[in-house]
Amino acid sequence: MIKREDVITWLTCYRQVIKDNKDYLTELDSAIGDADHGANMDRGFNAVVAKLPSVEEKDIGTILKTAGMTLVSTVGGAGGPLYGTFFMRAGMAVDGKAELTPEELAGAFDAGVAGVQQRGKATLGEKTMLDSLTPACQALHESLDRGNDLKVSLDAAAAAAEQGMKDTIPMLATKGRASYLGERSIGHQDPGATSSFLLVQCAADCFGKD
Ligand code: ADP
Ligand code: MG
């Protein structure tokens, strides 16, 4: 089971990973965007972690929804509201739950990804965060369905997200700022797909230890 403490640990761990990768994400965004993805994610997740003490006794749905609303209200541009939507929708899917089964976690991720898709109107192959999140969700389900435990399944999800992130390099961007570059977007790794891979990697590091 995934407990609320694990969710708090996940968000706190991700804040640190974002801090450690802030310059890298900015560098990726400077190639095909406006060089703010690292700063945006850093500001957003600092605000999320600052809010956690007020919700750490609440259910997992409330924790995730609060994280999402905080991202929407503290981060401008495309990435913040899209990550905000991911966490709000994931939280709505597990409303009132103090613990999650692996399947419930996978369901929350699915709901988050569906929210990103709806809000950003992008689909797979358009060089966005969906290119790492979607294969990650698929791999998570496939692994759980084969009877693997949560840790093994999240490792598979992180590997799929990493591959999906790398697969954005040859893609032509057709959504977001990178699409303004047209053909010149080809040959660069998408910053949002990179931060999304890091989010799944963090989940693999924080969940499924027992
Ligand atoms: P902005 O593009 O406004 O500067 P960020 O730099 O924080 O915002 O985030 C950029 C990332 O957002 C991109 O790398 C991409 O992964 C993601 N993104 C942009 N537009 C969309 C969209 N319509 N759907 C899904 N993801 C998107
Ligand atoms: Mg940007």
Side-chain angles (χ1 to χ4, degrees), residues 1-204:
M1 291 298 258
I2 293 141
K3 300 183 183 62
R4 67 184 130 213
E5 294 83 351
D6 301 326
V7 174
I8 300 273
T9 303
W10 176 43
L11 295 170
T12 310
C13 157
Y14 188 54
R15 189 265 299 256
Q16 186 58 47
V17 168
I18 287 295
K19 203 176 287 305
D20 295 343
N21 287 276
K22 187 177 164 187
D23 293 345
Y24 173 49
L25 294 172
T26 293
E27 196 186 303
L28 292 173
D29 197 31
S30 70
I32 55 168
D34 55 354
D36 64 355
H37 191 59
N40 286 346
M41 295 298 284
D42 190 48
R43 173 159 17 91
F45 278 88
N46 277 331
V48 167
V49 171
K51 275 268 168 65
L52 291 178
S54 67
V55 290
E56 64 189 4
E57 303 293 313
K58 301 267 169 70
D59 64 281
I60 292 174
T62 300
I63 295 170
L64 293 174
K65 282 187 290 180
T66 303
M69 289 185 290
T70 306
L71 290 170
V72 170
S73 64
T74 54
V75 189
L82 288 167
Y83 272 99
T85 301
F86 175 85
F87 283 102
M88 286 194 293
R89 293 295 190 85
M92 283 158 68
V94 294
D95 227 3
K97 293 186 190 295
E99 294 188 326
L100 304 181
T101 63
E103 286 74 17
E104 285 170 336
L105 179 74
F109 282 1
D110 287 344
V113 171
V116 172
Q117 227 157 11
Q118 255 173 29
R119 175 138 193 172
K121 302 192 169 47
T123 51
L124 206 61
E126 294 197 272
K127 201 178 184 95
T128 72
M129 52 198 280
L130 288 171
D131 292 311
S132 50
L133 289 176
T134 307
C137 284
Q138 256 167 24
L140 181 57
H141 280 293
E142 278 167 21
S143 179
L144 290 172
D145 288 350
R146 279 200 302 272
N148 291 324
D149 69 12
L150 182 60
K151 175 68 184 142
V152 166
S153 300
L154 282 171
D155 283 343
E162 184 171 22
Q163 186 58 53
M165 169 188 88
K166 290 179 178 159
D167 289 347
T168 65
I169 297 173
M171 285 178 191
L172 172 75
T174 44
K175 289 286 184 310
R177 275 180 199 283
S179 67
Y180 306 161
L181 291 179
E183 302 276 324
R184 281 185 292 133
S185 67
I186 293 172
H188 302 280
Q189 185 172 302
D190 181 61
T194 308
S195 54
S196 288
F197 154 64
L198 294 171
L199 183 66
V200 180
Q201 179 66 64
C202 259

